[in-house]
Amino acid sequence: MAAIRNVEEIRDGALAALAQASDRAALQEWRVRVLGRKGELTTVLRSLGSLPEAERRVVGAAANAARDVLDAAYTERAARVEQEELRQATERERVDVTLPGRPLPAGSLHVITRTLADVLDAFRSLGFWVAEGPEVEWDEYNFTRLRIPEDHPARDMFDTIWVDYTRPDGRRPMLLRTHTSPMQVRVMERRQPPIRVVVPGRCYRFEATDATHEWMFLQVEGLAVDEGVSLADLKGTLEEFARRIFGRERRVMLRHAYFPFVEPGVELAVDCFACHGTGCRVCGATGWIELLGAGMVHPEVLADVGYDARRYTGFAFGMGIERVALIRHGIDDIRMFYSNDVRFLEQFPGV
Ligand code: PHE
């Protein structure tokens, strides 16, 4: 019977074509061509009506059987193709997890910023709070109320950058603060004892730069005022601070120094990290690096802000943050900090 042979031919041809279909598109195309509404097998089934009764049953059964075979073959083939495509995609997109990662370039905080944060943390944990004040300051706060009147020789300690502002009386009372000490007065004006405060801030001096001096630098002022505050408290506080920041092996020296707004005045120095005390360029051949000035707040300064100087005493200190960073990291030139040389700055990675 020709019709049955026809069905068998269609089936075998379709099976052969199916074996060649190797991706989803080919499979889809095959499915439409073979099993679709206008497909070859459907056409045979549609034409059954024109066949004689006996032949119709036989051919119909054969066509239905062929369709079942093709259907099953399609399902199996589709699963296989899908699996293969997945395998290839996985292969293509495989990641070698043993390769080292490529680091992303990331900025970080400046070494001075981090040093300042560590210094403030050390004082916070000792019970100090943090305040800030103006960088453009009045002569009155920067000098006069700190017992440095005009024409006082102590003004020579501070090579001042004056703001070009002249009052009607001819005086030029405005400057870039030469230290953070004016904040001693500003804090005491606003609050009553007990006071324990540290004040970070930029300071400016009109001076030639060298390995240990910059014309702009960061200071942290400290002030503690209460009943019974003594020089021993100052010494204990600064020693504890130095231990926390520099480690226990660093030697610290406290010696007498003069500042008009403290009495007595002291200076804290640490042994030079570069020469270990024998004397070099970094320490100016002294073996010591001066870190801060300090002392007991002068009673006249206390009285000037309206405190009872018989009842209250206080200590104050002012330190250079660049000096702290320099000593901590063994850097031998303070000018490196602000010259924006990335090769230098990259040596201090971190948050
Ligand atoms: N202000 C002083 C300076 O910059 C340091 C200092 C602060 C000294 C507080 C005594 C008390 O040199």
Side-chain angles (χ1 to χ4, degrees), residues 158 178-179 181 184 205 219 221 259 261-262 293-295 316-318:
F158 306 99
T178 60
H179 53 176
S181 297
Q184 291 183 30
R205 288 191 200 170
Q219 269 194 347
E221 190 82 6
F259 303 96
F261 39 97
V262 288
F317 58 83

Side-chain angles (χ1 to χ4, degrees), residues 146-255:
L146 292 169
R147 303 183 71 253
I148 315 174
E150 247 172 280
D151 304 322
H152 190 285
R155 288 212 175 193
D156 293 346
M157 291 165 72
F158 306 99
D159 301 295
T160 309
I161 299 175
W162 295 93
V163 173
D164 194 5
Y165 160 68
T166 312
R167 284 203 324 206
D169 63 6
R171 292 185 53 224
R172 293 164 63 209
M174 212 187 262
L175 47 78
L176 298 187
R177 67 177 169 199
T178 60
H179 53 176
T180 41
S181 297
M183 275 300 283
Q184 291 183 30
V185 177
R186 287 185 178 275
V187 168
M188 289 191 289
E189 269 181 345
R190 282 192 304 245
R191 317 180 63 120
Q192 289 300 307
I195 283 175
R196 275 176 191 74
V197 68
V198 280
V199 183
R202 299 217 170 279
C203 304
Y204 305 82
R205 288 191 200 170
F206 184 66
E207 64 184 353
T209 61
D210 63 27
T212 51
H213 294 86
E214 262 286 6
W215 64 272
M216 179 207 71
F217 51 96
L218 201 53
Q219 269 194 347
V220 168
E221 190 82 6
L223 176 71
V225 185
D226 203 348
E227 289 179 34
V229 172
S230 70
L231 189 65
D233 296 322
L234 170 62
K235 189 165 179 251
T237 303
L238 292 181
E239 276 177 357
E240 179 57 26
F241 160 78
R243 253 183 247 129
R244 287 188 191 200
I245 295 293
F246 300 117
R248 295 188 178 261
E249 70 286 359
R250 184 116 271 146
R251 285 190 300 144
V252 173
M253 172 176 65
L254 212 56
R255 63 186 166 197

